[in-house]
Amino acid sequence: MIWNRDAETLDAGARARLQGARLRETVAWARARVGFYRDRLPATAPDRLEDLAALPFTRKSDLRAHYPFGLFAVRLPDIARLHASSGTKGKPTVVGYTREDLDVWREVMARMMVAAGCRPGDLLHNAFGYGLFTGGLGFHQGAERVGMTVVPASSAPTARHRLLLQDFRPAGLCATPSFALHIAEAMRAAGGAPDGCGLRYGMYGAEPWSEGIRRALEDAFGCPAYDVYGLSEIIGPGVAGECEARDGMHVADDHFLPEIVDPASDAPVEGGREGELVLTTLTKRGMPVIRYRTGDLTAVVPGACACGRTSARIRRIKGRSDDMLIVRGVNLYPSEVEATLLAVTDLAPHYQLIVDRRETMATLEIEVEPTEATVARAGGLAGLVGLRDEIAHRLRAALGLSVRVTLVAPRSLPRSEGKAVRVIERR
Ligand code: DLL
């Protein structure tokens, strides 16, 4: 099933014409109503699709500099809803939606959710946090638009999730991948069976996750795991999501125009090579954003998708360019460590990177939990020296860096109800 067949299967010419027309409207709207864009987009600034790369970028620092409402294009009474990023570093970035923007959001969420298997009448267990974070309300409104029954479970204690999943038997689950794994683990620890709840699909996002985590989620809940991507600056979840083919995430590119640029040179990157995703909103009125540097690293998937949707597709997000760690001159992403760890079947998908920069030579330590079965077989952690050495060897080969590996007791690393904290820096 395709939610909006007309919009999702446009041919290339029609799609480009629609994007071009909407880009011109967006540039005109932003220029007329937002001082920041008026200064940066003179009346002579190009506004054709083929000239997009000539327009200046917008960065998170621009949003911060105009905190809280300085980039809004309508008066505050015409803003129907505010959301904000988590803001771990300083003030949050605030975003505003008109009623029409909320409609666009519902529409793109409905597309992504139907692509992942959601159907009218299905029950959805929504374990994304409700609040300023866009995850909970984004999925909530999308589910209502599809005609589903929503359980706004949010970030309740895992015992509550277990009860609701077992007793309500929802068709779908949505959560951050790390929280979903935490729920599954808590269910098993309490003698329950997460794969016995009758789930048909899970939708996960809001943080980077690897194919290894996908396997762990699919094993745990006994149903396919779909990747959903988005960011509050653009709209929230619903910017892109996987279909049943699971060969990249379809971008709702009649609403959000994607480009990939080289994060260092800012030049457009072609031919399916990896780079930083840049997004331009094409229909948002409350807070239009032109050429937003997401910081997220991905690549365009070439060719047509088997599902029939014709929108651009992007690969799983590798991480943010500012997630990159430099340890003794070696550049690495936590997602690379995750991919190496989760290729080892004896390990559970729970790990942490500890970068210690207090000495002249920085060190990287990786704490990871073996599965309970592995520990039991070995008669305790002390019996797993061989496993530890093997992981250290694999990491050295994959990263080109010697890493100290510590196996820690199952269920001892901190679990989160939202986005997992994978890296701890000691300075
Ligand atoms: O995380 C929106 C969202 C909610 C997406 C629920 C998906 C599901 P922010 O809090 O503004 O919004 O954080 C956005 O999270 O720039 C990425 O770095 C990261 N991110 C989001 N989705 C994914 C994903 C929401 N599927 C930031 N894979 C983005 C990897 C993701 N990273």
Side-chain angles (χ1 to χ4, degrees), residues 389-423:
D389 292 347
E390 185 202 330
I391 300 164
H393 174 75
R394 286 191 188 209
L395 285 167
R396 191 165 50 242
L399 307 173
L401 179 75
S402 294
V403 173
R404 182 158 146 225
V405 174
T406 308
L407 299 180
V408 298
R411 295 160 53 76
S412 65
L413 290 175
R415 305 292 196 252
S416 95
E417 286 154 12
K419 303 188 189 228
V421 179
R422 301 288 193 198
V423 180

Short mmCIF file of all heavy atoms in Angstrom, two decimals, residues 389-423:
data_model
loop_
_atom_site.label_atom_id
_atom_site.label_comp_id
_atom_site.label_asym_id
_atom_site.label_seq_id
_atom_site.Cartn_x
_atom_site.Cartn_y
_atom_site.Cartn_z
N ASP A 389 40.04 -10.69 23.78
CA ASP A 389 41.20 -10.49 22.89
C ASP A 389 40.76 -10.50 21.43
O ASP A 389 41.28 -9.75 20.61
CB ASP A 389 42.25 -11.57 23.14
CG ASP A 389 42.89 -11.40 24.52
OD1 ASP A 389 42.68 -10.33 25.12
OD2 ASP A 389 43.56 -12.34 25.00
N GLU A 390 39.79 -11.35 21.12
CA GLU A 390 39.33 -11.42 19.73
C GLU A 390 38.66 -10.09 19.33
O GLU A 390 38.88 -9.57 18.23
CB GLU A 390 38.34 -12.57 19.57
CG GLU A 390 37.94 -12.75 18.11
CD GLU A 390 36.61 -13.49 17.95
OE1 GLU A 390 36.29 -14.33 18.81
OE2 GLU A 390 35.91 -13.19 16.96
N ILE A 391 37.88 -9.53 20.24
CA ILE A 391 37.20 -8.26 19.92
C ILE A 391 38.24 -7.15 19.73
O ILE A 391 38.16 -6.35 18.80
CB ILE A 391 36.21 -7.87 21.05
CG1 ILE A 391 35.15 -8.96 21.20
CG2 ILE A 391 35.55 -6.54 20.75
CD1 ILE A 391 34.41 -8.86 22.50
N ALA A 392 39.23 -7.13 20.63
CA ALA A 392 40.28 -6.10 20.52
C ALA A 392 40.99 -6.23 19.17
O ALA A 392 41.27 -5.23 18.50
CB ALA A 392 41.27 -6.25 21.67
N HIS A 393 41.22 -7.47 18.76
CA HIS A 393 41.90 -7.73 17.48
C HIS A 393 41.03 -7.23 16.32
O HIS A 393 41.50 -6.53 15.42
CB HIS A 393 42.17 -9.23 17.37
CG HIS A 393 42.73 -9.62 16.05
ND1 HIS A 393 44.04 -9.38 15.71
CD2 HIS A 393 42.15 -10.22 14.97
CE1 HIS A 393 44.24 -9.81 14.48
NE2 HIS A 393 43.11 -10.31 14.00
N ARG A 394 39.75 -7.55 16.34
CA ARG A 394 38.86 -7.12 15.25
C ARG A 394 38.75 -5.60 15.19
O ARG A 394 38.70 -5.01 14.11
CB ARG A 394 37.44 -7.67 15.49
CG ARG A 394 37.33 -9.14 15.23
CD ARG A 394 35.86 -9.48 15.23
NE ARG A 394 35.64 -10.91 15.16
CZ ARG A 394 34.55 -11.46 14.60
NH1 ARG A 394 33.62 -10.69 14.08
NH2 ARG A 394 34.40 -12.75 14.59
N LEU A 395 38.71 -4.97 16.38
CA LEU A 395 38.59 -3.51 16.39
C LEU A 395 39.87 -2.86 15.85
O LEU A 395 39.81 -1.89 15.11
CB LEU A 395 38.30 -3.00 17.81
CG LEU A 395 36.86 -3.24 18.29
CD1 LEU A 395 36.76 -2.99 19.79
CD2 LEU A 395 35.88 -2.32 17.55
N ARG A 396 41.00 -3.44 16.21
CA ARG A 396 42.27 -2.89 15.72
C ARG A 396 42.31 -2.99 14.19
O ARG A 396 42.69 -2.07 13.50
CB ARG A 396 43.46 -3.63 16.35
CG ARG A 396 44.79 -2.93 16.09
CD ARG A 396 45.90 -3.44 17.00
NE ARG A 396 45.97 -4.89 17.00
CZ ARG A 396 45.77 -5.67 18.06
NH1 ARG A 396 45.53 -5.13 19.22
NH2 ARG A 396 45.84 -6.97 17.97
N ALA A 397 41.83 -4.13 13.66
CA ALA A 397 41.84 -4.32 12.21
C ALA A 397 40.86 -3.34 11.53
O ALA A 397 41.16 -2.77 10.49
CB ALA A 397 41.47 -5.76 11.87
N ALA A 398 39.70 -3.12 12.15
CA ALA A 398 38.68 -2.29 11.50
C ALA A 398 39.00 -0.80 11.62
O ALA A 398 38.74 -0.02 10.70
CB ALA A 398 37.31 -2.57 12.13
N LEU A 399 39.57 -0.39 12.76
CA LEU A 399 39.75 1.04 13.02
C LEU A 399 41.18 1.52 12.77
O LEU A 399 41.43 2.71 12.62
CB LEU A 399 39.39 1.38 14.47
CG LEU A 399 38.02 0.93 14.98
CD1 LEU A 399 37.91 1.20 16.47
CD2 LEU A 399 36.90 1.64 14.23
N GLY A 400 42.11 0.58 12.79
CA GLY A 400 43.52 0.98 12.68
C GLY A 400 44.01 1.63 13.96
O GLY A 400 44.84 2.54 13.94
N LEU A 401 43.48 1.18 15.07
CA LEU A 401 43.79 1.80 16.36
C LEU A 401 43.72 0.72 17.43
O LEU A 401 42.80 -0.09 17.42
CB LEU A 401 42.73 2.88 16.63
CG LEU A 401 42.81 3.66 17.92
CD1 LEU A 401 43.95 4.69 17.83
CD2 LEU A 401 41.49 4.39 18.17
N SER A 402 44.67 0.73 18.37
CA SER A 402 44.58 -0.21 19.49
C SER A 402 43.57 0.31 20.49
O SER A 402 43.62 1.48 20.87
CB SER A 402 45.92 -0.35 20.19
OG SER A 402 46.81 -0.95 19.32
N VAL A 403 42.72 -0.58 20.92
CA VAL A 403 41.60 -0.20 21.77
C VAL A 403 41.62 -1.11 22.98
O VAL A 403 41.88 -2.30 22.85
CB VAL A 403 40.29 -0.42 20.98
CG1 VAL A 403 39.09 -0.21 21.85
CG2 VAL A 403 40.24 0.47 19.78
N ARG A 404 41.35 -0.55 24.15
CA ARG A 404 41.24 -1.43 25.32
C ARG A 404 39.79 -1.90 25.43
O ARG A 404 38.86 -1.08 25.43
CB ARG A 404 41.64 -0.64 26.55
CG ARG A 404 41.60 -1.48 27.76
CD ARG A 404 42.49 -0.92 28.86
NE ARG A 404 41.82 -1.23 30.10
CZ ARG A 404 41.65 -0.39 31.08
NH1 ARG A 404 42.13 0.83 31.01
NH2 ARG A 404 41.03 -0.76 32.16
N VAL A 405 39.60 -3.20 25.48
CA VAL A 405 38.24 -3.74 25.54
C VAL A 405 37.98 -4.26 26.95
O VAL A 405 38.81 -4.97 27.51
CB VAL A 405 38.06 -4.88 24.53
CG1 VAL A 405 36.69 -5.54 24.70
CG2 VAL A 405 38.22 -4.35 23.11
N THR A 406 36.87 -3.87 27.54
CA THR A 406 36.49 -4.40 28.85
C THR A 406 35.12 -5.05 28.71
O THR A 406 34.17 -4.40 28.26
CB THR A 406 36.41 -3.26 29.89
OG1 THR A 406 37.64 -2.53 29.84
CG2 THR A 406 36.20 -3.79 31.29
N LEU A 407 35.06 -6.32 29.07
CA LEU A 407 33.76 -6.99 29.09
C LEU A 407 33.11 -6.72 30.44
O LEU A 407 33.74 -6.93 31.48
CB LEU A 407 33.93 -8.50 28.87
CG LEU A 407 34.58 -8.90 27.55
CD1 LEU A 407 34.70 -10.42 27.46
CD2 LEU A 407 33.78 -8.37 26.37
N VAL A 408 31.90 -6.23 30.41
CA VAL A 408 31.23 -5.89 31.67
C VAL A 408 30.00 -6.78 31.83
O VAL A 408 29.52 -7.37 30.85
CB VAL A 408 30.85 -4.39 31.74
CG1 VAL A 408 32.09 -3.51 31.67
CG2 VAL A 408 29.88 -4.02 30.62
N ALA A 409 29.50 -6.86 33.05
CA ALA A 409 28.40 -7.80 33.34
C ALA A 409 27.16 -7.44 32.52
O ALA A 409 26.88 -6.26 32.31
CB ALA A 409 28.08 -7.74 34.83
N PRO A 410 26.42 -8.45 32.06
CA PRO A 410 25.17 -8.18 31.35
C PRO A 410 24.27 -7.26 32.16
O PRO A 410 24.19 -7.39 33.38
CB PRO A 410 24.55 -9.58 31.19
CG PRO A 410 25.70 -10.52 31.22
CD PRO A 410 26.72 -9.90 32.12
N ARG A 411 23.62 -6.34 31.49
CA ARG A 411 22.67 -5.37 32.08
C ARG A 411 23.32 -4.38 33.03
O ARG A 411 22.64 -3.79 33.86
CB ARG A 411 21.52 -6.12 32.78
CG ARG A 411 20.68 -6.92 31.77
CD ARG A 411 19.85 -8.03 32.36
NE ARG A 411 18.98 -7.64 33.46
CZ ARG A 411 17.84 -6.99 33.34
NH1 ARG A 411 17.43 -6.61 32.16
NH2 ARG A 411 17.11 -6.71 34.38
N SER A 412 24.65 -4.18 32.92
CA SER A 412 25.29 -3.24 33.85
C SER A 412 25.48 -1.85 33.23
O SER A 412 25.58 -0.87 33.97
CB SER A 412 26.63 -3.79 34.34
OG SER A 412 27.54 -3.89 33.26
N LEU A 413 25.53 -1.74 31.91
CA LEU A 413 25.73 -0.40 31.32
C LEU A 413 24.42 0.38 31.41
O LEU A 413 23.34 -0.20 31.39
CB LEU A 413 26.16 -0.52 29.86
CG LEU A 413 27.59 -1.05 29.64
CD1 LEU A 413 27.86 -1.24 28.15
CD2 LEU A 413 28.62 -0.10 30.24
N PRO A 414 24.50 1.73 31.50
CA PRO A 414 23.26 2.50 31.63
C PRO A 414 22.36 2.33 30.41
O PRO A 414 22.85 2.22 29.29
CB PRO A 414 23.74 3.96 31.75
CG PRO A 414 25.20 3.94 31.51
CD PRO A 414 25.70 2.55 31.52
N ARG A 415 21.06 2.26 30.63
CA ARG A 415 20.08 2.18 29.55
C ARG A 415 19.36 3.52 29.48
O ARG A 415 19.19 4.18 30.49
CB ARG A 415 19.05 1.09 29.83
CG ARG A 415 19.64 -0.29 30.11
CD ARG A 415 20.27 -0.88 28.86
NE ARG A 415 20.49 -2.31 28.98
CZ ARG A 415 21.67 -2.88 29.13
NH1 ARG A 415 22.77 -2.15 29.22
NH2 ARG A 415 21.79 -4.19 29.20
N SER A 416 18.91 3.90 28.27
CA SER A 416 18.22 5.19 28.20
C SER A 416 16.81 5.00 27.68
O SER A 416 16.50 4.01 27.02
CB SER A 416 18.98 6.13 27.27
OG SER A 416 18.44 6.07 25.98
N GLU A 417 15.96 5.97 27.98
CA GLU A 417 14.58 5.92 27.50
C GLU A 417 14.42 6.72 26.22
O GLU A 417 13.38 6.77 25.63
CB GLU A 417 13.64 6.49 28.56
CG GLU A 417 13.46 5.56 29.71
CD GLU A 417 13.09 6.28 30.98
OE1 GLU A 417 12.76 7.47 30.91
OE2 GLU A 417 13.15 5.64 32.04
N GLY A 418 15.50 7.44 25.85
CA GLY A 418 15.44 8.23 24.63
C GLY A 418 16.65 7.88 23.79
O GLY A 418 16.87 6.73 23.47
N LYS A 419 17.45 8.90 23.47
CA LYS A 419 18.63 8.66 22.66
C LYS A 419 19.74 8.11 23.56
O LYS A 419 20.01 8.65 24.62
CB LYS A 419 19.09 9.96 22.00
CG LYS A 419 17.98 10.60 21.15
CD LYS A 419 18.50 11.78 20.35
CE LYS A 419 17.36 12.54 19.71
NZ LYS A 419 17.56 12.82 18.29
N ALA A 420 20.40 7.04 23.11
CA ALA A 420 21.45 6.42 23.91
C ALA A 420 22.68 7.32 23.95
O ALA A 420 23.00 7.98 22.97
CB ALA A 420 21.82 5.07 23.31
N VAL A 421 23.37 7.34 25.08
CA VAL A 421 24.65 8.04 25.16
C VAL A 421 25.74 7.00 24.97
O VAL A 421 25.92 6.12 25.80
CB VAL A 421 24.82 8.74 26.53
CG1 VAL A 421 26.16 9.46 26.62
CG2 VAL A 421 23.67 9.71 26.76
N ARG A 422 26.44 7.04 23.85
CA ARG A 422 27.42 6.00 23.53
C ARG A 422 28.84 6.41 23.84
O ARG A 422 29.72 5.57 23.92
CB ARG A 422 27.37 5.67 22.03
CG ARG A 422 26.03 5.19 21.53
CD ARG A 422 25.74 3.79 22.02
NE ARG A 422 24.62 3.20 21.31
CZ ARG A 422 23.95 2.16 21.75
NH1 ARG A 422 24.27 1.59 22.89
NH2 ARG A 422 22.95 1.67 21.06
N VAL A 423 29.09 7.71 23.95
CA VAL A 423 30.47 8.17 24.08
C VAL A 423 30.62 8.97 25.37
O VAL A 423 29.82 9.87 25.66
CB VAL A 423 30.87 9.07 22.88
CG1 VAL A 423 32.31 9.54 23.02
CG2 VAL A 423 30.68 8.32 21.57
#
